Amino acid sequence: MALTLASILAGLGLFFVGKDLLTSNLRNMVGRSVQLILSRVAAYPLLGLSWGAVLGAMIQSTAIVTFILVGLLTARMIEPRRALPILMGGNIGSALILLLVTLDIRIVVMLALGLTGILLTQGRLQHWKAALSAIFGLCLLYYGLVLLKSGTVPLAQSDDVMALMATLNGSLSAAFLIGAALSAACQSSITVALLGIGFLGSGLFSFEQAMLVIYGTNLGSGIVTYLLAGGVQGTARRMALFQLGFNLTGCVLLLALFVAEHVFGVPLVMALLRAVSSDVPQQLALSYLVFNSVTALFLFPLIGLVEQLLARRCPPSPQESDSQLAYLSPETARDSATAILLTEKEQLRLLERLPRYAELLRQAETPARKARLEALHKAFVSVHGQTKPYIAGLAEGDLTADSHERVYRIVDRHDRLGSIEAVLYEFAAAAPLLEDSTALAAIREALTEGLDALLLSYVEAMAGDDPDDMALIERITGDRGELMEGVRRSFFNDAALELDRDEKMGLLQLTGLFERLVWLLREMALKAPFEAGTRPALEAA
């Protein structure tokens, strides 16, 4: 028994470590080329279904497929309706791993495991590390499932397990609920499906019971996916809700077919499985594939209706629109002249968000204020990051002499925008340090009001075409080093104030950040301004 439990525990360990290696490295490998391919094939639902199946078969994880789709949705590279066929295909492809475990390919897996393990230690192959680690993780995942499968048979033959299973008295509904509960508990439908196959081999389960365990695992995994996405809102949440609906629909369909075959003797799924393979474990593995395939084929013609229901249940959140690109997309970026204009429009959109930080500074420090600050920061970082690939595409494209200089300024401006927002975020996060200080209340208010006025004037000047406004910005963003040093010195030398350590540190931090922010704003105004006449062009774009 000790060896049996050790085999099962080792199998689970290898499975989860392999799954983590596979997931983390494939996420790093999913580049813009893969995203562009999916965004293009998504225009054709049948092609999207096929590519989703290929992707699911390659990575063996609907979680990664969902992760990729959420990224595409966030970047507006794909419509929610177009993402659903890809996720359906991902469910079909990821079901193949169970079938592979029933095949004896251990020699191939061990060779791949050894070879990738050796190559991972070679420093000269660091640029292949993510791909090799993903293959190594897939091999560990497979070998873990093989160990788990080998341990379930002796476990099922133990007296305690046999006594427990005897209480089920051949109950089909209990087998379905066991599959759902165990899948939800261990967050893996594959491992529980293997348990059902092992119990069938030991005689504890009938074929019908083992089949219902596999059906139940899909329900449990769907529920877990939905619960884990509890913190996700808006369009991205539709993917989790669709995955739950996909599995619920599959349960209803396949259970109805099961009843028709088991009770009324109509030859359906079980007859098909027996006709395809004479090997019982392979039949059960194929039932897992049939579950996902039948469900996908049933829902495929209903994509439009399903998307309407999901849109009503999960409408786009305000934070979601702030986190998405408003103008750039793969279609609009095909023409370089249009892409340049729209990229500058995205940058202006980011610039116009900066005064919101000053508005937050006027609010008392509460959890709600902190949440709004985090949402503002995450939305800025999201749009800033999504714009980068388009800017890289501009820099790598064919440019004229005039557009080359303009693109250079776009690249420079984008980096400076990121630096300015980072300092603003740090300033807004540190401002509460002086909120309870009576002695420093005046300087905190002065910094807040000064920052607000500076940002409003700055945005207006940068977004406009008035040379006088830009001249004003150059004056008000002059060197503030001596002024800030004078402020710090006056407070530190005033014996009547008696500032404590936290007040001194807060004063140093805020005045230093203010000084750096003014310098960054001046540098961007001088070195990366928008083109004269840009604003009217952007308004017309």
Side-chain angles (χ1 to χ4, degrees):
M1 177 58 75
L3 181 59
T4 298
L5 293 177
S7 297
I8 293 175
L9 186 61
L12 286 172
L14 289 176
F15 172 80
F16 286 116
V17 169
K19 186 177 181 181
D20 184 67
L21 272 174
L22 178 66
T23 302
S24 59
N25 285 283
L26 282 175
R27 282 181 177 177
N28 294 331
M29 290 170 59
V30 174
R32 184 167 173 78
S33 58
V34 175
Q35 293 179 335
L36 285 174
I37 290 173
L38 288 178
S39 67
R40 288 168 185 164
V41 302
Y44 309 95
L46 191 58
L47 196 57
L49 180 73
S50 303
W51 269 91
V54 171
L55 191 63
M58 289 173 58
I59 63 182
Q60 287 301 312
S61 173
T62 54
I64 302 180
V65 177
T66 305
F67 164 80
I68 295 171
L69 292 176
V70 168
L72 293 173
L73 287 169
T74 303
R76 289 197 324 119
M77 296 178 69
I78 188 174
E79 297 176 6
R81 179 176 178 176
R82 304 301 186 190
L84 299 184
I86 298 176
L87 186 54
M88 287 182 187
N91 279 281
I92 296 173
S94 60
L96 292 174
I97 186 66
L98 190 60
L99 183 60
L100 287 176
V101 174
T102 62
L103 302 175
D104 192 4
I105 58 171
R106 285 175 293 177
I107 294 178
V108 175
V109 171
M110 285 189 287
L111 287 173
L113 193 64
L115 183 60
T116 52
I118 294 171
L119 293 176
L120 278 171
T121 62
Q122 305 301 310
R124 294 171 295 177
L125 299 175
Q126 285 302 304
H127 57 290
W128 289 96
K129 185 175 180 180
L132 291 171
S133 297
I135 297 172
F136 190 77
L138 181 61
C139 294
L140 284 180
L141 184 151
Y142 174 88
Y143 204 71
L145 290 176
V146 170
L147 278 177
L148 183 63
K149 179 185 174 185
S150 66
T152 55
V153 175
L155 176 67
Q157 293 172 346
S158 66
D159 295 337
D160 293 336
V161 174
M162 292 182 69
L164 179 63
M165 291 301 163
T167 61
L168 298 180
N169 196 26
S171 172
L172 297 176
S173 58
F176 178 80
L177 293 175
I178 287 173
L182 289 178
S183 178
C186 68
Q187 299 183 18
S188 172
S189 58
I190 297 293
T191 56
V192 180
L194 273 178
L195 190 67
I197 293 175
F199 278 16
L200 171 65
S202 65
L204 284 183
F205 278 167
S206 64
F207 182 85
E208 289 80 1
Q209 282 180 303
M211 194 169 174
L212 287 179
V213 167
I214 291 175
Y215 288 173
T217 62
N218 289 278
L219 176 61
S221 65
I223 293 173
V224 169
T225 301
Y226 182 75
L227 293 177
L228 290 177
V232 180
Q233 299 298 326
T235 305
R237 186 171 177 81
R238 295 182 199 177
M239 296 297 101
L241 188 60
F242 175 76
Q243 187 63 34
L244 174 61
F246 182 92
N247 288 338
L248 285 173
T249 302
C251 287
V252 172
L253 285 174
L254 272 299
L255 287 177
L257 294 176
F258 179 85
V259 170
E261 189 167 16
H262 181 70
V263 177
F264 300 105
V266 181
L268 295 169
V269 177
M270 288 186 284
L272 174 64
L273 297 177
R274 290 175 179 131
V276 171
S277 175
S278 59
D279 184 78
V280 176
Q282 285 184 20
Q283 292 173 10
L284 287 175
L286 284 170
S287 73
Y288 191 77
L289 181 61
V290 167
F291 180 98
N292 290 284
S293 301
V294 170
T295 308
L297 292 175
F298 176 80
L299 289 175
F300 187 76
L302 306 174
I303 287 293
L305 177 61
V306 171
E307 169 52 24
Q308 290 177 14
L309 295 174
L310 291 174
R312 290 190 196 130
R313 181 69 178 82
C314 304
S317 62
Q319 294 82 6
E320 182 178 348
S321 59
D322 281 347
S323 300
Q324 293 179 336
L325 295 173
Y327 307 106
L328 285 169
S329 68
E331 290 74 23
T332 59
R334 288 175 183 172
D335 177 68
S336 59
T338 303
I340 288 173
L341 283 173
L342 295 181
T343 301
E344 289 183 326
K345 196 163 186 176
E346 292 287 2
Q347 290 182 332
L348 272 176
R349 183 167 167 249
L350 289 174
L351 183 69
E352 289 167 352
R353 294 185 186 189
L354 299 182
R356 297 187 195 177
Y357 288 89
E359 295 172 10
L360 286 175
L361 289 172
R362 294 194 179 93
Q363 301 175 12
E365 175 64 7
T366 62
R369 175 197 175 277
K370 187 175 181 180
R372 284 192 289 270
L373 176 61
E374 289 299 321
L376 181 60
H377 173 62
K378 288 179 180 178
F380 188 101
V381 171
S382 176
V383 175
H384 189 270
Q386 291 172 48
T387 310
K388 281 185 177 180
Y390 291 98
I391 295 176
L394 288 176
E396 294 169 0
D398 295 329
L399 301 172
T400 63
D402 292 337
S403 61
H404 188 279
E405 182 66 25
R406 190 167 180 176
V407 169
Y408 174 79
R409 274 196 293 273
I410 287 175
V411 174
D412 188 27
R413 186 187 306 122
H414 207 65
D415 290 339
R416 294 180 188 277
L417 272 171
S419 300
I420 289 170
E421 190 277 337
V423 175
L424 257 179
Y425 170 69
E426 189 177 353
F427 187 94
L433 293 174
L434 302 184
E435 188 171 11
D436 297 330
S437 174
T438 305
L440 298 178
I443 185 61
R444 181 183 183 277
E445 183 177 355
L447 289 174
T448 299
E449 296 303 324
L451 180 62
D452 188 26
L454 172 61
L455 291 175
L456 289 173
S457 300
Y458 188 85
V459 170
E460 183 178 358
M462 289 287 284
D465 292 317
D466 192 339
D468 293 336
D469 289 341
M470 289 303 295
L472 174 64
I473 289 301
E474 290 183 26
R475 288 197 300 272
I476 64 177
T477 58
D479 187 9
R480 290 291 183 271
E482 292 186 7
L483 175 62
M484 291 296 102
E485 181 60 30
V487 170
R488 290 189 286 264
R489 191 181 299 112
S490 65
F491 277 93
F492 289 158
N493 294 337
D494 191 342
L497 290 179
E498 296 183 356
L499 300 178
D500 61 27
R501 179 180 177 278
D502 291 339
E503 288 175 321
K504 291 179 180 179
M505 292 299 296
L507 178 63
L508 285 171
Q509 186 173 2
L510 286 182
T511 54
L513 288 171
F514 188 89
E515 182 181 344
R516 174 165 175 74
L517 181 60
V518 172
W519 180 80
L520 288 171
L521 291 170
R522 179 179 177 82
E523 287 292 297
M524 189 167 79
L526 293 175
K527 298 179 180 179
F530 289 97
E531 291 285 333
T534 293
R535 185 64 177 183
L538 292 179
E539 294 295 344

